[in-house]
Amino acid sequence: MRANAINHVLKLICLHALTATVAGCATAQLETSGSLASYNDLAPADGITTKSKMRVDKAGVLAARSVSIIPTSFSHAASRAALTDKQRRVIANAVDRSVCIGLSDRFNVVPSGQPADLTVHVTVTRVTITDPNVAGAAKVASAAPMFISAGFPIVVPRIPYGMGGLSVEAEARDVQGQQKAAFVWARDADMLTSTPRVAASGDAYDLAGEFGADFSKLLITGENPFDKKLSTPSMQRVNSAFGGKPKYAACDAFGRTGVSAFIGGKMGAPPEWNDDAMPVTE
């Protein structure tokens, strides 16, 4: 009887976590700052955990072969978030690194300022900071083993308070300055898939990488990135994820991450402890 009661309670916890997660995903707010050349014809295109609006000239994007990345900037509103200068730099750099590595699957990425078929720029429009104290408590809770009566571990939901979020807008322009793609994107951390980091920048940093993956997929395919099925990461992405030399030297402008950063993230360390966002020179 006692085991059945425990199982029932755990099922309720998991159901509540799932319900809260889905509800939480709907709270992400799209923000704009006026940085895009045009907001015309943007159409809603939401993912499971993401809100977005987009427009893409598929033929124009697919015809492009080279791309240049202007470093990510913060809007005036986003700059008011309670982050240090280094935390803002690390978040912006995480966006650019993810975009650069993602675009390398199809494009020739050239250094910023050099001629390219497309030039992309991202603006962070909103940062909801992570509560470090709650994140720390969530990390401790997730490390404590929980077992159902059969002895199988279950997922421990993250404490549903003090979680961060990120909103960005981005576009790609051709050599004439004409907008070929526009993307407004927002996502908040959730209880089941987000790893808590003990830092105000924690969730925004992790979500920066998620945005970069979505935006690069939009430009690679010329289609809604949320309509695509899961695919195996390319070898160059895997290599870059473990701190290897990127496919194009231009991506080294955004530094490299590696095993230490991966482990640090799993342990809940602040992003700025393992990612200095400094260019790599060889």
Side-chain angles (χ1 to χ4, degrees):
M1 180 67 69
R2 184 179 179 183
N4 289 337
I6 293 175
N7 283 341
H8 179 66
V9 171
L10 291 176
K11 288 179 181 178
L12 289 177
I13 290 173
C14 291
L15 178 62
H16 173 73
L18 180 60
T19 303
T21 298
V22 173
C25 295
T27 64
Q29 296 296 315
L30 295 174
E31 301 282 351
T32 59
S33 69
S35 71
L36 303 186
S38 173
Y39 291 86
N40 295 334
D41 303 320
L42 289 175
D46 294 346
I48 296 174
T49 57
T50 309
K51 283 183 173 292
S52 79
K53 290 184 178 181
M54 66 181 66
R55 185 189 74 81
V56 60
D57 175 353
K58 184 173 182 178
V61 166
L62 295 184
R65 292 292 178 266
S66 60
V67 64
S68 175
I69 301 170
I70 298 174
T72 291
S73 57
F74 275 67
S75 70
H76 178 69
S79 296
R80 293 201 297 267
L83 299 169
T84 66
D85 289 342
K86 184 174 183 179
Q87 287 173 329
R88 278 189 286 271
R89 179 165 59 86
V90 167
I91 291 169
N93 194 75
V95 170
D96 293 328
R97 182 191 293 129
S98 180
V99 170
C100 196
I101 298 302
L103 293 180
S104 296
D105 276 348
R106 185 172 77 81
F107 294 94
N108 176 20
V109 184
V110 303
S112 179
Q114 290 193 11
D117 297 331
L118 293 176
T119 298
V120 303
H121 179 237
V122 180
T123 300
V124 175
T125 56
R126 174 186 66 91
V127 176
T128 302
I129 65 171
T130 304
D131 186 314
N133 295 322
V134 177
K139 197 63 189 174
V140 171
S142 68
M146 292 183 64
F147 298 91
I148 61 175
S149 60
F152 296 101
I154 66 169
V155 174
V156 180
R158 181 173 169 182
I159 298 172
Y161 302 101
M163 293 187 287
L166 184 71
S167 297
V168 296
E169 59 184 8
E171 68 181 350
R173 301 190 193 187
D174 65 12
V175 292
Q176 283 81 37
Q178 297 297 310
Q179 186 185 81
K180 292 300 176 181
F183 196 31
V184 182
W185 182 100
R187 181 171 167 181
D188 290 342
D190 62 72
M191 294 171 62
L192 296 182
T193 67
S194 302
T195 301
R197 289 175 178 261
V198 188
S201 57
D203 289 316
Y205 176 84
D206 289 339
L207 293 171
E210 298 294 333
F211 163 76
D214 290 341
F215 185 45
S216 58
K217 193 180 299 182
L218 170 67
L219 296 182
I220 287 172
T221 65
E223 298 177 357
N224 182 346
F226 307 117
D227 288 343
K228 293 294 179 181
K229 295 181 180 179
L230 293 175
S231 57
T232 303
S234 64
M235 286 306 298
Q236 72 92 13
R237 287 200 192 205
V238 173
N239 180 61
S240 296
F242 285 93
K245 185 176 181 180
K247 183 177 180 180
Y248 294 107
C251 293
D252 267 339
F254 311 116
R256 301 179 190 175
T257 57
V259 175
S260 62
F262 176 80
I263 295 175
K266 292 300 181 183
M267 293 179 64
E272 52 272 19
W273 283 15
N274 304 108
D275 185 353
D276 60 11
M278 296 299 292
V280 175
T281 56
E282 293 185 346

